[in-house]
C-alpha cells in the first residue's frame, strides 16, 4: 500500500470514528432574548397601545400605563435572574474546568464577528443564501486570478523563461530535504492548540493530539516519503472558504467580508516541519533584513516601535524634520505572484529540494465558497499564498526581503506587510530648503516602491498610502509627496503597529486610547462585582486576563512617557485593584500592605529586566538605537 492510500484510509477511519462517537444535535442559531410568557404580555401591550391610539379612551390609557409598568418590571426581573445565573455559572465553573470557565467568561469580554444574512451588490440587498453564495464565489474566483503578464516587457518575459526552466530542472531533481522523525512530529503536535473545530478533512487538532504513538510513526513515514518525492498530496490543496462580516452595522459588500480558509489539519503539520527547514536556510544565509521583525523567532513588534520612536526623536532633537511614508498593500498575501516568487527564490540560491516542495505547495490549488447550506463549485487559485498556512507569512517576507535595498530610504521599518520608510534632509539653517529636499526625496522613494510593486506584481493601495512629517515647528510645514502621479495624503496623526503617531511625536493619544480601553474593561468588571457570588479570586483572574494586557501594551514605552502620563496609568491600575478587592476607599500607599498587590511600576521593571536580559537573543539587541533607548535604570 502506498503512503497516499494509507493516509486516505487513516483519515477516513478518524472521520468515521468522530461521527461514531459524536452526539449530533440540531441547534437553533436564533434564540429569542425573552421567554414566551413575556413575549405574550408584550403582544397584549401592543394591542392595548394600538387601541388607545385609535380610540383615545381613558380606560385604555390607564390600562396602557399599568401594563407598561408591569412588563418593564417583568423584563427587569427576568434579565436580572438570568444575569445572576450566568455569573453563578462562572463562579461554579472556576473550580471545575478551565476551558468551561473561560468559555463562559469570553461571552462578556470577547466581541464576536457579526453574522450576515444579507449582501449588498450594486446598492441592492440580496437575501437568498444561494445568490449570496454565487456572488461570493464570483468575487473570490476573480480575486485569485493570476496577474497579467506583459511579454513585451523584458523583465516579465525573462521571468517566464526562467520559471519554465526551473520547472524542468526540479522535475528531474531527486535529492530530498532533511527527513522528519516521530519525535519532531510529536513536538509539532504538542505545539498545536487543542481546537475542536475541524479542518477541510473533518479532523481537528483535538483528535490529533490524542493519537497513539504507533500512528505517529506511520505518519512520519508518510511525511518522509512525500519529502523524498517533493510533493504535497492533492487533498491538501483544496480550501473551504467561509466568510465573516467586517462591518459593524448594515449589510456588507463582497470586499467587506473576511475570508477564512479551512485547510486539512494534517497539511498544517507537514507545512510546519517544512517551515523549519526553510527558516534554517533563510536565517543561516541572512536572507531576511534586520529591518523585518514580523514572523521571525526572537523578533519583536516592540523593536520596530522603539526604533522608530528613538530615531525620530534623535532627528527632532537636532531640529531636523523627518518624513515617514506608510505603505499599504492591496490584499498583500492574496496577490503574491507565483512565477515571480519561484524565480526570485531560485535567484536567492534556495536549495532545489526546498524549491521543489514550494512549487508543489503552490500549483494546482483550488477553493470553494460555503455559505449557509450552499456550496459553490471549485475554482483554481493561481495567485496568492494559502491563507491559514504557517508557510505563507514567512514565504511572504522572504519574497519581499529586497524591498529595503530597493526603497533607498534613510531607514526602513517592516513588520510583516506593514512598511514604514523614513527619510531626513541634510542639516541646514533654512527650513524651506530641508522641506524641498524632503519633497524631492520622498517622491523618489515612493516612485521606487511603486516601481517595485509593479515589477513583482504586488499592488500598492495608493489611496490608503499616507505620509507624515515629524517636526518641531509651530506651523506645520506643507509637503507634497507623489506616488503614481497622485499626491499622497499628509496626516498629522496615524495609527501604525498599534500605536498612535503624531507629527510632534507625542505619546498622549496612545495613552488616551489605552485609558479608554481600560475604562471599557472596568465596566464589565463592575458588572461582575455586583454579584455577591463572584469571589475576589475570580475577579482578580478577570482583571489580569482582560484589563492588565492594556497596561502591558504600554510597558515598552512606559519609561519614555511624561511623568503625568505615568501617574495616570498608575492611578488607573490602583482603581482596578480596588474594584477586584471591593475596597473602594483604600489609600494608595496601603494597597501593597493590605491587599498584598504589587504596584504597576513593579510589573514594568520586571518586564524591562526580562527584555534587557533577552535582548542579545532578539532583534532588539541589533537595533541601531539600543543604547539610546535603554539609557534608564529599570530598577
Amino acid at each position: 500500500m502506498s503512503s497516499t492510500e494509507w493516509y486516505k484510509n487513516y483519515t477516513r477511519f478518524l472521520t468515521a470514528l468522530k461521527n461514531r462517537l459524536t452526539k449530533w444535535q440540531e441547534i437553533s442559531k436564533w434564540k429569542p432574548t425573552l421567554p414566551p410568557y413575556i413575549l405574550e404580555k408584550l403582544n397584549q401591550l401592543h394591542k392595548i397601545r394600538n387601541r388607545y391610539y385609535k380610540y383615545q379612551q381613558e380606560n385604555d390609557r390607564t390600562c396602557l400605563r399599568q401594563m407598561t409598568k408591569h412588563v418593564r418590571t417583568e423584563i427587569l426581573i427576568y434579565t436580572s435572574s438570568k444575569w445572576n445565573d450566568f455569573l453563578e455559572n462562572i463562579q461554579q465553573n472556576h473550580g471545575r474546568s478551565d476551558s468551561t470557565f473561560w468559555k463562559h467568561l469570553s461571552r462578556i469580554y470577547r466581541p464576536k464577528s457579526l453574522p450576515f444574512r444579507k449582501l449588498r451588490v450594486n446598492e441592492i440587498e440580496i437575501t437568498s443564501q444561494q445568490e449570496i453564495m454565487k456572488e461570493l464565489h464570483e468575487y473570490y474566483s476573480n480575486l485569485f486570478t493570476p496577474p497579467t503578464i506583459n511579454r513585451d516587457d523584458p523583465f516579465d518575459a525573462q521571468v517566464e523563461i526562467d520559471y519554465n526552466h526551473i520547472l524542468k530542472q526540479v522535475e528531474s531533481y531527486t535529492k530530498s530535504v532533511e527527513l522528519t522523525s516521530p519525535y519532531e512530529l510529536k513536538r509539532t503536535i504538542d505545539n498545536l492548540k487543542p481546537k475542536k473545530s475541524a479542518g477541510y478533512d473533518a479532523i481537528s487538532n483535538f483528535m490529533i493530539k490524542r493519537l497513539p504513538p504507533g500512528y505517529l510513526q506511520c505518519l512520519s513515514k508518510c511525511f518522509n516519503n512525500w519529502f523524498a518525492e517533493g510533493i504535497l498530496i492533492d487533498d491538501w490543496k483544496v480550501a473551504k472558504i467561509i466568510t465573516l462580516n467586517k462591518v459593524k452595522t448594515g449589510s456588507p459588500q463582497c470586499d467587506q467580508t473576511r475570508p477564512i480558509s479551512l485547510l486539512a489539519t494534517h497539511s498544517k503539520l507537514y507545512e510546519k516541519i517544512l517551515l523549519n527547514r526553510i527558516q534554517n536556510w533563510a536565517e543561516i544565509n541572512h536572507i531576511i533584513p534586520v529591518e523585518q521583525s514580523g514572523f521571525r523567532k526572537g523578533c519583536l513588534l516592540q523593536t520596530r516601535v522603539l526604533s522608530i520612536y528613538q530615531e525620530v526623536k534623535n532627528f527632532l532633537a537636532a531640529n531636523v524634520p523627518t518624513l515617514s511614508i506608510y505603505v499599504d498593500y492591496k490584499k498583500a498575501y492574496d496577490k503574491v505572484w507565483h512565477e515571480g516568487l519561484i524565480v526570485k527564490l531560485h535567484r536567492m540560491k534556495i536549495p532545489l529540494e526546498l524549491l521543489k516542495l514550494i512549487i508543489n505547495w503552490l500549483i494546482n490549488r483550488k477553493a470553494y465558497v460555503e455559505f449557509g447550506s450552499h456550496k459553490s463549485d471549485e475554482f483554481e487559485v493561481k495567485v496568492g499564498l494559502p491563507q491559514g498556512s504557517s508557510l505563507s507569512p514567512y514565504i511572504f517576507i522572504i519574497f519581499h526581503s529586497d524591498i529595503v535595498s530597493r526603497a533607498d530610504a534613510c531607514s526602513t521599518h517592516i513588520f510583516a506587510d506593514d512598511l514604514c520608510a523614513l527619510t531626513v534632509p541634510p542639516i541646514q539653517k533654512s527650513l524651506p530648503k530641508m522641506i524641498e529636499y524632503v519633497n524631492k526625496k520622498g517622491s523618489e522613494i515612493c516612485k521606487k516602491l511603486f516601481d517595485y510593486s509593479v515589477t513583482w506584481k504586488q499592488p500598492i493601495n495608493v489611496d490608503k498610502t499616507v505620509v507624515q512629517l515629524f517636526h518641531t515647528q509651530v506651523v506645520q510645514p506643507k509637503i507634497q509627496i507623489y506616488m503614481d502621479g497622485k499626491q499622497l495624503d499628509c496626516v498629522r496623526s496615524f495609527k501604525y503597529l498599534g500605536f498612535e503617531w503624531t507629527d510632534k511625536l507625542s505619546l498622549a493619544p496612545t495613552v488616551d486610547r489605552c485609558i479608554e480601553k481600560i475604562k471599557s474593561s472596568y465596566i464589565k468588571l463592575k458588572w461582575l462585582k455586583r454579584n455577591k457570588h463572584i469571589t475576589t479570586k475570580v475577579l482578580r483572574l478577570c482583571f489580569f486576563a482582560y484589563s492588565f494586557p492594556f497596561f502591558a501594551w504600554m510597558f515598552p514605552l512606559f519609561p519614555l512617557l511624561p511623568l503625568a502620563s505615568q501617574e495616570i496609568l498608575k492611578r488607573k491600575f490602583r482603581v482596578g485593584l480596588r474594584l477586584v478587592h471591593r475596597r473602594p476607599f483604600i489609600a494608595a500607599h496601603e494597597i501593597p500592605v493590605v491587599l498584598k498587590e504589587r504596584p504597576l511600576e513593579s510589573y514594568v521593571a520586571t518586564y524591562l529586566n526580562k527584555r534587557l536580559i533577552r535582548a542579545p537573543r532578539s532583534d532588539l539587541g541589533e537595533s541601531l538605537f539600543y543604547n539610546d533607548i535603554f539609557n534608564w535604570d529599570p530598577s
Side-chain angles (χ1 to χ4, degrees), residues 552-567:
W553 183 250
M554 296 300 302
F555 285 178
L557 294 175
F558 191 86
L560 306 174
L561 296 176
L563 294 178
S565 298
Q566 290 185 14
E567 192 55 42

Side-chain angles (χ1 to χ4, degrees), residues 26 34 65 77 185 284 331 346 362 370 409 454 483 560:
E26 186 176 353
L34 297 173
R65 185 171 58 185
I77 293 172
L185 183 59
I284 290 173
K331 304 282 186 183
H346 187 260
L362 289 174
E370 187 174 287
V454 172
M483 177 182 281
L560 306 174

Side-chain angles (χ1 to χ4, degrees), residues 12 21-22 68 102 163 175 178 195 226 276 296 348 358 446 523 627:
R12 288 193 196 104
L21 299 178
T22 302
T68 302
W102 291 113
Y163 178 73
K175 186 178 178 181
E178 179 189 351
K195 294 182 179 179
W226 295 328
N276 293 334
R296 298 176 63 196
M348 291 178 180
I358 293 174
C446 288
I523 292 173
N627 293 326

Side-chain angles (χ1 to χ4, degrees), residues 387-510:
Q387 189 192 65
S389 170
S390 57
L391 277 177
S392 297
Y394 201 79
I395 295 293
F396 180 85
I397 63 176
I398 291 178
F399 182 41
H400 295 302
S401 58
D402 58 340
I403 196 171
V404 174
S405 59
R406 292 288 296 273
D408 193 26
C410 177
S411 65
T412 307
H413 302 272
I414 317 173
F415 189 85
D417 60 331
D418 293 325
L419 187 148
C420 169
L422 299 179
T423 185
V424 293
I427 298 178
Q428 302 180 37
K429 291 183 179 179
S430 173
L431 178 64
K433 288 185 178 180
M434 288 194 286
I435 297 301
E436 182 183 353
Y437 178 89
V438 164
N439 285 333
K440 181 180 178 182
K441 185 65 175 177
S443 296
E444 289 177 0
I445 294 172
C446 288
K447 183 179 184 305
K448 290 177 181 179
L449 289 173
F450 188 79
D451 290 344
Y452 175 89
S453 71
V454 172
T455 300
W456 294 105
K457 309 292 186 291
Q458 187 74 63
I460 290 178
N461 194 339
V462 180
D463 294 332
K464 292 186 178 180
T465 298
V466 298
V467 295
Q468 184 179 28
L469 185 70
F470 298 100
H471 63 92
T472 57
Q473 307 301 312
V474 176
V475 180
Q476 183 185 15
K478 293 184 179 180
I479 59 173
Q480 294 179 339
I481 310 297
Y482 293 89
M483 177 182 281
D484 190 28
K486 298 179 182 178
Q487 183 176 345
L488 300 181
D489 292 336
C490 182
V491 295
R492 303 196 64 175
S493 178
F494 187 75
K495 184 180 178 183
Y496 179 69
L497 299 182
F499 292 86
E500 198 77 24
W501 301 88
T502 65
D503 57 355
K504 295 298 181 68
L505 205 62
S506 170
L507 296 173
T510 301

Side-chain angles (χ1 to χ4, degrees), residues 68-78:
T68 302
K69 185 177 180 180
H70 174 70
V71 171
R72 286 178 178 174
T73 304
E74 287 285 340
I75 293 174
L76 179 62
I77 293 172
Y78 174 77

Side-chain angles (χ1 to χ4, degrees), residues 568-579:
I568 289 173
L569 289 171
K570 292 177 185 177
R571 190 160 58 244
K572 280 296 173 186
F573 184 74
R574 292 194 293 268
V575 169
L577 294 179
R578 292 186 182 105
L579 277 173

Side-chain angles (χ1 to χ4, degrees), residues 529-540:
K529 185 177 72 74
R530 290 173 186 168
N531 188 279
K532 62 181 180 180
H533 297 287
I534 299 294
T535 62
T536 300
K537 186 176 180 181
V538 172
L539 286 175
R540 189 176 186 277

